[in-house]
Amino acid sequence: MKTKRVLMTLALCLVLGACSKGKKTAGKSYKIGVNQLMEHKALDDVREGFQEELKNLGVSFELDYKNAQGDVSSNSNIIASKFAQDKVDLILAISTPSAQSTLQATEEIPVLFSAVTDAVGSKLVKSNEKPGGNATGTIDAADVKEQLEMFKKLDPKIKTIGIIYNTSESNSEVQIKEVEKYSKELGLEVKVAGINNVNDLPQSLQSLVKKVDAMYLLSDNMIANSISVVTQILNENKMISISAEESQVKGGALMTKGLSYKELGKQTAKMAKKILVDGVKPADLPVEKAEKTFLAVNKSTLKALGISEQNEIFKDATIIDQLEIGRASCRERV
């Protein structure tokens, strides 16, 4: 009987010890540094989705958000070095240049990247399946062929599409290769215009629209940051635009069947929990593609282009009211 009581006491201690350990893990607060290339809707959505999902997952954290203001050579490197010196628990690098800067600064701190198109080509990981270092994350590679097919569904007369992009972004070059790969198969000719300065954007775009029937908008940071300028020029020229992602449609592009960067941020947060709480090493955590895509169309742009909402291609689309988004933004500021 005495032996039985001893065994029961030992078992109870083990249970209490396990519970205590669980509470300690759940109660720990993690320091997370965010190295973000610049402020625009797509990158902001990643960060907001990341924070929102971490809270939903019950992870206690302190976020140190830094914005490089588009300056990779100086600001992004300084931000990464500071996080390495502070020995934060994890660094979230939003954009390819931010991830590259961060990996130059540390080989020890776990790094999660997002809003990256080609993690292998950008030398962030050895392979998507087995990253092999201290970094892993989510990529925003889109189904380019499916998006290009929408041009013909919108207007069978479209034969030439234009692309304007930032020549310093490796992500954009990867996307252009994908577009060129599928365009011939779909009977589309592609004309590209590369720029290296946002000041060159209006003139280059005005010149390009005279040579094409429609525009394909890449997931490009310079374009995303200037989406209102881009879409204003396109609408003035009555030009159809298909975007690689949802946030540009909210900014005025006609439509997409692409990813939501906020959802991508949430997906990245689940990976953060695995690293911080569950103890999984980035080297053993495969790079993930966006789990969800969305068919979305901009209501204001439809009206500006004189296209009917009754078109079969919009049947299952989410109709985005840009005016309502603007009013909501004003209410938030007030």
Side-chain angles (χ1 to χ4, degrees):
M1 190 72 175
K2 183 177 180 181
T3 302
K4 187 176 180 180
R5 283 199 300 269
V6 170
L7 290 173
M8 289 178 65
T9 302
L10 286 171
L12 181 60
C13 287
L14 288 171
V15 171
L16 290 174
C19 292
S20 175
K21 184 178 179 181
K23 287 180 181 178
K24 184 178 180 181
T25 303
K28 180 178 178 180
S29 182
Y30 299 94
K31 183 71 176 289
I32 300 174
V34 177
N35 188 357
Q36 183 172 318
L37 179 62
M38 61 175 67
E39 285 185 359
H40 64 64
K41 181 64 176 170
L43 302 189
D44 291 343
D45 277 356
V46 169
R47 188 182 74 254
E48 291 168 9
F50 181 82
Q51 290 177 263
E52 185 178 309
E53 186 62 18
L54 274 185
K55 291 176 182 176
N56 290 339
L57 294 169
V59 178
S60 179
F61 65 96
E62 178 186 348
L63 204 74
D64 187 359
Y65 163 58
K66 302 296 183 188
N67 178 359
Q69 302 295 335
D71 186 340
V72 179
S73 60
S74 179
N75 292 350
S76 187
N77 290 332
I78 291 171
I79 290 167
S81 296
K82 184 64 167 61
F83 287 151
Q85 290 170 12
D86 292 344
K87 298 187 184 301
V88 297
D89 296 303
L90 181 141
I91 301 174
L92 172 65
I94 308 178
S95 81
T96 299
S98 300
Q100 290 169 331
S101 296
T102 301
L103 287 177
Q104 288 175 4
T106 180
E107 295 180 354
E108 299 175 356
I109 297 171
V111 175
L112 272 176
F113 52 76
S114 193
V116 165
T117 301
D118 184 0
V120 177
S122 300
K123 299 182 179 179
L124 303 179
V125 296
K126 292 179 179 179
S127 75
N128 288 333
E129 296 75 21
K130 296 181 179 180
N134 63 317
T136 186
T138 55
I139 55 176
D140 58 8
D143 188 334
V144 173
K145 183 178 180 181
E146 189 172 31
Q147 292 175 340
L148 294 180
E149 287 172 340
M150 291 194 290
F151 283 113
K152 291 291 188 179
K153 292 178 181 178
L154 280 165
D155 184 353
K157 296 179 182 178
I158 293 175
K159 294 186 179 350
T160 307
I161 60 172
I163 296 174
I164 192 163
Y165 73 104
N166 181 1
T167 55
S168 65
E169 277 206 42
S170 59
N171 277 350
S172 297
E173 293 175 357
V174 170
Q175 293 174 78
I176 289 171
K177 288 179 181 177
E178 282 288 292
V179 172
E180 291 174 339
K181 175 182 175 182
Y182 293 113
S183 59
K184 292 179 183 178
E185 180 183 333
L186 298 172
L188 293 169
E189 182 183 356
V190 182
K191 293 185 180 294
V192 300
I195 56 173
N196 54 27
N197 190 309
V198 70
N199 296 325
D200 297 334
L201 177 59
Q203 185 175 349
S204 296
L205 184 56
Q206 288 283 14
S207 175
L208 183 60
V209 295
K210 295 174 184 177
K211 305 172 185 175
V212 300
D213 303 318
M215 286 290 297
Y216 181 62
L217 303 180
L218 304 177
S219 177
D220 178 295
N221 284 298
M222 187 180 290
I223 302 306
N225 196 40
S226 310
I227 191 62
S228 60
V229 174
V230 171
T231 54
Q232 181 180 343
I233 292 172
L234 296 181
N235 287 347
E236 287 172 353
N237 286 273
K238 301 294 182 183
M239 183 156 287
I240 286 171
S241 58
I242 302 293
S243 171
E245 45 94 4
E246 181 195 38
S247 68
Q248 291 186 6
V249 176
K250 290 181 178 178
L254 176 60
M255 71 177 300
T256 187
K257 186 170 185 182
L259 62 93
S260 159
Y261 276 102
K262 190 164 188 178
E263 290 298 324
L264 195 66
K266 291 180 179 181
Q267 193 174 330
T268 313
K270 293 174 184 176
M271 299 179 75
K273 180 180 180 294
K274 290 178 182 178
I275 293 170
L276 294 171
V277 180
D278 302 335
V280 180
K281 294 180 180 179
D284 301 324
L285 199 56
V287 173
E288 298 182 8
K289 291 183 178 181
E291 294 174 340
K292 300 178 181 179
T293 58
F294 300 85
L295 183 63
V297 60
N298 186 296
K299 185 175 182 178
S300 299
T301 303
L302 269 179
K303 185 176 180 181
L305 298 179
I307 300 174
S308 171
E309 283 186 37
Q310 304 308 311
N311 190 310
E312 183 67 21
I313 195 172
F314 305 134
K315 181 180 177 182
D316 299 315
T318 298
I319 305 297
I320 292 175
D321 190 335
Q322 196 173 350
L323 294 176
E324 182 54 37
I325 291 173
R327 286 191 288 268
S329 179
C330 288
R331 287 195 294 268
E332 287 177 7
R333 286 196 294 270
V334 173

